[in-house]
Amino acid sequence: MTGVSRRARVGRRLRVQGPGAARILVVALCCWQTALWAGAAQPPVFAAIVPLLCLRGDSASSLAALLLRILGVMAGVALGVTMVGLFRPSTLVLAVVLALALLCGTLAGSATTLNVQVAVTSLLVFANPSPAAYGFARLWENALGGAVTAVLGPLLWPRDPRREVAALARACAADLAAGLVRGTRAIGSPEAAAANRAAAQAQAERLRGYGARAREAESAMRFNPLRRRHRDEVTELGARIGLAVGAVPHLLTLAAEVELCTARHGPAAALSLARTRLLPVAEDTGHALEAVLAGRDPHENTTTARAALTRYAAEDTEPLAVVLRRPFTGLLDLCDRL
């Protein structure tokens, strides 16, 4: 069983990372060959390095990394050649080169990441026996490699945002439906209520992560010419996942109220009644959320859930019952918005 599990993990990793590795391989070979056709006198390793360092799963991230690398190489070559032309190598000169390179890296980097390419390139130029020739070769090979990567990167095995977002929508629906049922079943049991609240916190983080990934997939459509025909579908699915993320506060409120009411009232008859009456509501609300995230009309499920809530409200008007019903009312209102 262990061997099968290990093979399954390796196979899953190859399926996930294999297309990206194959894309890097093909683009690197194309960069190398294009540089040879352009007249490279030495093996054009700098052109082939570009896709290794810049290609990401997201085309937008790849283009941003590519631009930052080219800017860093340009700044590093200019700084290194200038300093070597003016001064002899020494510890003081090295300190000045690194300080200036890191300063440039802060200006030619992203909002959260320092662009160390400036420092790396300037040091390599600084240490080369023929700084001017090395700097020129590094500059044009990186530019050529960047151009080939920018053209081929989005076209070779591009990510499928529609499939990703559809999978995220299904995961959101399953998480929400399971969380509602689990939280309702925990009413009246202190141990189950405490475990449910911890599980709800983890579930909330997971759902927010799904929302972030859906937004990334939606933004990737702008740089994915082979998938643009799916833009409207991805946008709609992203909106539905956003609704699922909007359900997180209600899920957390239910978990908190279940734990608090259970701790205060213990194994009371009111809690037993609440668990019995709210369990069908939780199931129907979960089905309604599943319908919304699948693009179906949730009206039948929301109507059934509201009817059950109304019957329970007529049966028990105490504050405890009102508090436990409130998260379901919020979730059903959320479903009715689409």
Side-chain angles (χ1 to χ4, degrees):
M1 293 298 291
T2 302
V4 173
S5 178
R6 188 175 301 164
R7 285 197 298 272
R9 287 198 299 270
V10 171
R12 184 164 56 249
R13 186 171 298 180
L14 287 174
R15 287 193 299 271
V16 172
Q17 301 182 8
R23 181 172 61 162
I24 290 173
L25 173 62
V26 172
V27 176
L29 291 176
C30 290
C31 291
W32 176 283
Q33 189 60 49
T34 304
L36 291 177
W37 287 336
Q42 300 293 328
V45 293
F46 304 126
I49 285 175
V50 173
L52 289 171
L53 298 179
C54 297
L55 280 182
R56 307 283 191 270
D58 185 351
S59 298
S61 299
S62 297
L63 291 175
L66 185 61
L67 179 60
L68 290 176
R69 174 172 172 79
I70 292 175
L71 289 175
V73 169
M74 292 174 62
V77 166
L79 177 61
V81 170
T82 300
M83 294 299 290
V84 169
L86 294 176
F87 306 101
R88 294 181 60 185
S90 68
T91 303
L92 178 60
V93 174
L94 176 65
V96 173
V97 169
L98 277 178
L100 292 175
L102 292 173
L103 177 60
C104 292
T106 62
L107 301 176
S110 66
T112 57
T113 306
L114 175 68
N115 188 356
V116 296
Q117 184 63 56
V118 183
V120 171
T121 300
S122 61
L123 285 178
L124 291 174
V125 172
F126 190 83
N128 201 274
S130 302
Y134 172 84
F136 177 72
R138 188 171 179 85
L139 191 58
W140 80 263
E141 287 181 16
N142 270 277
L144 182 62
V148 174
T149 301
V151 172
L152 293 182
L155 301 178
L156 296 175
W157 298 284
R159 65 189 291 187
D160 188 344
R162 179 179 61 170
R163 184 172 61 186
E164 290 181 21
V165 176
L168 290 172
R170 291 191 297 270
C172 285
D175 261 6
L176 286 171
L180 290 174
V181 172
R182 184 188 62 242
T184 305
R185 285 177 175 165
I187 296 174
S189 170
E191 296 81 6
N196 172 68
R197 187 167 188 182
Q201 292 287 353
Q203 201 170 34
E205 292 302 316
R206 194 160 55 246
L207 287 164
R208 294 187 183 107
Y210 292 156
R213 288 167 59 188
R215 290 191 296 273
E216 290 173 3
E218 189 173 352
S219 67
M221 297 294 291
R222 295 177 296 168
F223 303 94
N224 204 331
L226 300 182
R227 307 290 185 185
R228 285 185 181 174
R229 65 186 183 278
H230 302 145
R231 179 179 294 178
D232 292 341
E233 187 175 352
V234 170
T235 300
E236 181 182 357
L237 281 168
R240 295 181 186 279
I241 292 173
L243 179 140
V245 176
V248 165
H250 300 292
L251 186 68
L252 292 175
T253 298
L254 175 64
E257 296 294 359
V258 165
E259 184 179 31
L260 181 61
C261 291
T262 299
R264 282 184 176 178
H265 299 279
L271 289 176
S272 179
L273 178 65
R275 183 173 60 251
T276 302
R277 296 293 183 264
L278 288 177
L279 189 56
V281 176
E283 292 172 349
D284 282 320
T285 304
H287 292 326
L289 288 165
E290 289 172 345
V292 167
L293 286 160
R296 303 191 305 270
D297 185 0
H299 180 70
E300 181 179 352
N301 297 117
T302 57
T303 300
T304 304
R306 287 187 187 280
L309 280 176
T310 300
R311 289 193 298 271
Y312 178 37
E315 189 175 1
D316 189 344
T317 59
E318 294 298 317
L320 182 149
V322 173
V323 164
L324 292 175
R325 286 193 296 265
R326 189 174 298 140
F328 294 101
T329 302
L331 286 168
L332 292 171
D333 291 342
L334 202 62
C335 290
D336 288 339
R337 293 178 190 173
L338 288 181

